[in-house]
Each structure stands twice: as structure tokens, then as C-alpha cells.
Amino acid sequence: MSATSFDLVLIGGTGDLAWRKLLPALFQAWRHGKLPADGRILAVGRNEMDSAGYREWLQQRFRDLPGPARPGAEAFKRFAALLHYISMDLMQAEPYQRLRRWLKEPQADEGRERAAGTVVLYLATSPHLFPQICGQLCAVGLNGPEVRVVLEKPLGHDLESARAINRAVGAVFSESQALRIDHYLGKSAVQNLTALRFGNALFEPLWRRESIASIEITLAESLGVGTRGEFYERTGALRDMVQNHALQLLTMIAMEPPSTADADAIRNEKLKVLQALKPFTPESARRDVVRGQYRAGVCEGRAVPGYAEEVKVPAHSRCETFVALRTEVCNWRWAGVPFYLRTGKRLAAGTAYIVVNFRAVPHPIFPGPHPANRLVIKLQPEDGLELHLLAAKGHSGAGALAPVSLDLDFDKAFVEDRVGAYERLLLEAIHGRLNLFVRSDEQEEAWRWVEPVLRAWREDDAAGLGPRPYAAGSWGPAAASALVARDGFSWAEES
Ligand code: BG6
């Protein structure tokens, strides 16, 4: 189904997410000619202003965007014709009647009939407001089949709170109307991961325990928490990055081939992976999970403060800014293969990749030792693939092998078609395609899996055992290296 007409309502239209991510992404979609022509974008916020005032406000905000994302004056003016604004107190009932009228009635200045189209309600507000907002939307009938609701993370802080949100949303919208965002699923490299596995015959026969020794997922940031100390203090790296982004990547790596490309065929397979993850016990949560917190250090050539010195972070914080863990997918395909996940702030580099470490040849005939084959799926900053192989070196025939790599750079190969994560996800939401959104059962299963770790850490905190310190600009606590070394592996940057 493709939409020809749409109304996209950004609830939280003056918030950071709206002006930093969503509206720049909508601008790009418009610039690329991908937005259905007959569309309107309605920002909803508390501030009293009219649509003209909002357009001016947004143009000011856009000046803070990095160069390539910043629209020129003429382009902004044409894009801004799609933008409208109404001010609403989300806690009151009456404004929702106004919203309904706005959506149902063509705008006076449009002077033409619009086909009734899709309505996408993007809840870019704090998730604790979701139940209240959904209830009010239902009360004014804004939950019909043409309506989709997009939910931004964090969706809960544990299984119970995630379920409460899902119940409240589910009382008003069907599962196929509720689109849970995990922006990692919108990244081009993640699309390529599915293409690599299921669009090519080459790798799938090797994609199993017989050929693969271990898998590493690294999501490293060189940035600190910046001004988000208050949010981060309540969240931490496990909830912020592992429960959602890292686990979603793991499911895409480990899932069985779905029988079709339908959203539910894919999401059923992803769910099975989450259900097959080895559950943590109090012992394994301490043995197989390393948590760390950055101290002052030098990051990208600049002296930076430690986490506990950041704005709105208490001096004795026990919040983790780094997690490394080892898990397994307990099924026939993956039994015994370690999956290592690692994420952190203020690490040595801002980079994200997945490394598939293949097994060594069963019977070496060349003098060695040699590194085993490796496939590196680069997620960012580059989007590409590196296949590390061995080749005969020079004229020395059977004597010497040298490492060589096949290097695919998708940014160069598809220069014209680069699409940002939010741009892709917003377009998918407008067109009602659910493949890239997380189903409630996936999300709850991911919470179920991380909960024993959260419990073990709460107990450790009470016993005075906090996260391990690491210097900003390093690759995290030494214990993270020890975690993989125990199995005879090393993280990519160490090998
Ligand atoms: C968000 C987290 O979900 O992802 C942030 O809340 C994190 O803390 C961000 O910085 C990382 O996303 P990306 O796309 O920059 O890797």
C-alpha cells in the first residue's frame, strides 16, 4: 500500500527530537521527492504561536544543524509550505477536538479538495505521557484504520513499565497501527545486512555454528552524555543501547530466513531469536556482563571530563556508560557460538560494526599461523562490508599466505540513493510498511532478557560494587577484553 496523501502530526513538535532529527529527515525526504505530494505536516506543541511563527522558529533552529543537513533559504521556504502548527495542552481534552477538526477539515488556505489519506501521529514526547495521549486520541475518534501511531523510545524502563505502555496503546490501537521506533532499523547498513543474508546465496550455507566461531557487535560512541545527564542517569547504557539497538542487530544476524518479506514473517523470526537467548542467572550476569563508567580522559585529542562531572549527574553516580556482554543463541544453528555485544560512550572512536569470525580451516597445509576469515559489516560512519581472506603472496607459491580484504563501500556505490535512518522510517510509517518497526512482543522479550542483569546490578550497588572505571578515549574497562579472551577471542581493534 502506498500513500498518496498524508497528515503527519508531530506531537512534541518543538522538542529536540523534532527539530534535530524528524524535521531535518522530512526535509530530506521532501528534497529527494519521496514525500507523497498531497501531504501536510502538523507540529503540535505547548508554545503559543501560529504556523507562520513555527516556520520562523524552525528556520532559526535549522541554523544549528550541521552544514550538509541545513536547508538553504529558498528550499526551506518551499518545504515550509507543508508545515502547520497548533498549540495544545496534551493533558486537556478540548485541544484534541481541535486536532480532530484540523485533520478532518481541509485548511482554509488550501482552497482545494484533498483525498482523505493516512494519518501518522508521531509521539515525540516523554513516554510516560503515551497512555494519556492515546486515551484522548481515542476519545475523539482519532484511532480509525487510517491512523498510525509512532512511538519513540525509551518504551519503559523495565518489563513491567513496557507492558503498561503496550497495554495502554493496545487498548486504543491495533498492533499493526502501533509503530515502535528503533532508529537502528532505519540505517542503510542494517538494510544491507538483510540483503547480504537473504539476497545472496553465498553466505547463508556458512551462517551457522559449523563455520562461524563467534560474532561481535560493537556500537561505540566517542561522545559523552552531553546535556542529557538527567535522562542518562535514569537510563544507562544497558537500557539506552543494548535492550533495543544491539539486540535488534543481534536478531537480524541470528534469525532464520523468513519465508516472505512480510513484516510479521520477519518479526516472528526475530522474536524466536530473542526467546532463544541464553537467560542470565545471578552468577552469569556477574561473570558475562561488564559494566563501566568513563572517567576524565582524552577523546579525539581533547581533554574531557568524567561522567560524574557531567551536567546534572550526581558525583557518586553508579550509572553505567559502558556495557560488554557475552551471550549465546540456544538453538541448533548457533549452539555454543558466543555473541559479544559492546557499547559505550566516550570510547576511542565513534564507530559501529559487526564482526563475523569464521572458523579456521580444518586442516592447514600452509605454514601458519594465519588469521581466520572475517566478515566485517560496517554500520557507521561508513556503510560497507569487508571480507578478510588469505591469498598467496608474491611468487612464493605454497609457502606464504598474506591477509587481503575485499572492501565494499556502499556510500560510494549508491551515492544517489543515500537515505538517513529517520527519513527511511518516516517514509515507511507514511506508507504503512511495518517491517522496520518493533512489535510489542519483541520489545517485551528484550526487556525480559535484560532484567536479571538490572537486578544483579541493583544488588551490587547495594553492596557498594559499582561500574568499573575506564578512561575516556579508551576501549572501556580491561575486564571487557578479559571477557572475550576467556574464550580465546579478542575485540576487532585488538586483533
Ligand atoms: C540513541 C541513544 O537511541 O542512540 C543515544 O539514546 C545514542 O544515547 C544514540 O547516542 C546513538 O545513535 P547513533 O545513530 O548516533 O549511533
Side-chain angles (χ1 to χ4, degrees), residues 379-454:
L379 306 177
Q380 58 192 34
E382 305 95 19
D383 171 11
L385 281 180
E386 266 174 29
L387 181 59
H388 294 259
L389 304 167
L390 292 166
K393 194 171 156 194
H395 62 275
S396 46
L401 292 185
V404 288
S405 67
L406 289 173
D407 213 337
L408 291 180
D409 181 340
F410 297 131
D411 291 318
K412 283 206 185 112
F414 305 122
V415 171
E416 298 298 319
D417 296 309
R418 298 287 74 191
V419 175
Y422 272 106
E423 178 181 351
R424 176 175 284 112
L425 293 174
L426 283 161
L427 289 170
E428 296 292 290
I430 288 170
H431 291 298
R433 293 188 290 253
L434 307 180
N435 297 30
L436 302 184
F437 299 96
V438 180
R439 216 169 50 189
S440 59
D441 49 5
E442 287 179 78
Q443 188 218 357
E444 290 180 14
E445 200 54 47
W447 276 119
R448 196 189 319 281
W449 185 73
V450 299
E451 280 218 321
V453 180
L454 293 169

Side-chain angles (χ1 to χ4, degrees), residues 21 153 183-184 187 221 223 228 231-232 240-241 244-245 345 352 380:
K21 301 278 188 197
K153 77 179 262 278
H183 78 279
Y184 266 66
K187 292 188 189 266
E221 295 183 80
L223 297 175
R228 295 167 77 218
F231 158 80
Y232 204 79
D240 192 37
M241 295 292 286
N244 36 65
H245 308 323
K345 298 220 181 265
Q380 58 192 34

Side-chain angles (χ1 to χ4, degrees), residues 152-452:
E152 254 299 334
K153 77 179 262 278
L155 286 172
H157 56 272
D158 56 12
L159 178 59
E160 200 186 312
S161 51
R163 274 187 175 152
I165 294 178
N166 284 337
R167 264 198 308 273
V169 173
V172 175
F173 296 100
S174 69
E175 183 67 46
S176 62
Q177 288 176 289
L179 279 49
R180 289 172 197 77
I181 288 260
D182 183 310
H183 78 279
Y184 266 66
L185 294 184
K187 292 188 189 266
S188 301
V190 177
Q191 307 306 299
N192 273 322
L193 177 55
T194 321
L196 172 83
R197 285 198 61 198
F198 308 128
N200 295 284
L202 200 61
F203 288 107
E204 204 46 33
L206 303 177
W207 214 256
R208 55 194 63 249
R209 63 190 302 280
E210 288 78 4
S211 313
I212 292 179
S214 71
I215 292 186
E216 164 190 341
I217 299 176
T218 288
L219 309 180
E221 295 183 80
S222 54
L223 297 175
V225 291
T227 52
R228 295 167 77 218
E230 202 172 356
F231 158 80
Y232 204 79
E233 198 42 34
R234 281 181 274 124
T235 311
L238 190 74
R239 291 185 173 98
D240 192 37
M241 295 292 286
V242 176
Q243 185 272 343
N244 36 65
H245 308 323
L247 281 186
Q248 282 294 321
L249 292 175
L250 188 153
T251 62
M252 317 258 325
I253 285 279
M255 72 197 250
E256 294 299 316
S259 53
T260 68
D262 282 358
D264 277 331
I266 295 171
R267 298 191 296 184
N268 289 343
E269 296 305 336
K270 286 165 62 197
L271 177 65
K272 286 187 212 157
V273 174
L274 293 165
Q275 289 166 334
L277 285 177
K278 193 173 194 165
F280 284 109
T281 61
E283 296 72 42
S284 68
R286 293 184 173 93
R287 186 189 61 227
D288 294 343
V289 188
V290 175
R291 62 169 170 158
Q293 188 189 87
Y294 62 84
R295 298 286 187 263
V298 176
C299 218
E300 296 179 330
R302 206 165 51 85
V304 294
Y307 173 71
E309 286 107 55
E310 301 277 17
V311 185
K312 297 204 175 153
V313 174
H316 300 293
S317 165
R318 291 191 185 282
C319 175
E320 82 286 358
T321 59
F322 175 95
V323 178
L325 63 84
R326 178 196 192 281
T327 187
E328 288 177 27
V329 178
C330 301
N331 61 19
W332 275 45
R333 184 188 282 261
W334 295 113
V337 177
F339 283 72
Y340 303 108
L341 269 48
R342 175 175 64 160
T343 185
K345 298 220 181 265
R346 284 282 186 237
L347 294 182
T351 177
Y353 50 81
I354 300 169
V355 183
V356 180
N357 290 305
F358 288 92
R359 293 195 187 279
V361 293
H363 172 65
I365 59 165
F366 296 98
H370 293 296
N373 297 145
R374 262 190 316 150
L375 176 69
V376 181
I377 301 159
K378 299 196 266 186
L379 306 177
Q380 58 192 34
E382 305 95 19
D383 171 11
L385 281 180
E386 266 174 29
L387 181 59
H388 294 259
L389 304 167
L390 292 166
K393 194 171 156 194
H395 62 275
S396 46
L401 292 185
V404 288
S405 67
L406 289 173
D407 213 337
L408 291 180
D409 181 340
F410 297 131
D411 291 318
K412 283 206 185 112
F414 305 122
V415 171
E416 298 298 319
D417 296 309
R418 298 287 74 191
V419 175
Y422 272 106
E423 178 181 351
R424 176 175 284 112
L425 293 174
L426 283 161
L427 289 170
E428 296 292 290
I430 288 170
H431 291 298
R433 293 188 290 253
L434 307 180
N435 297 30
L436 302 184
F437 299 96
V438 180
R439 216 169 50 189
S440 59
D441 49 5
E442 287 179 78
Q443 188 218 357
E444 290 180 14
E445 200 54 47
W447 276 119
R448 196 189 319 281
W449 185 73
V450 299
E451 280 218 321

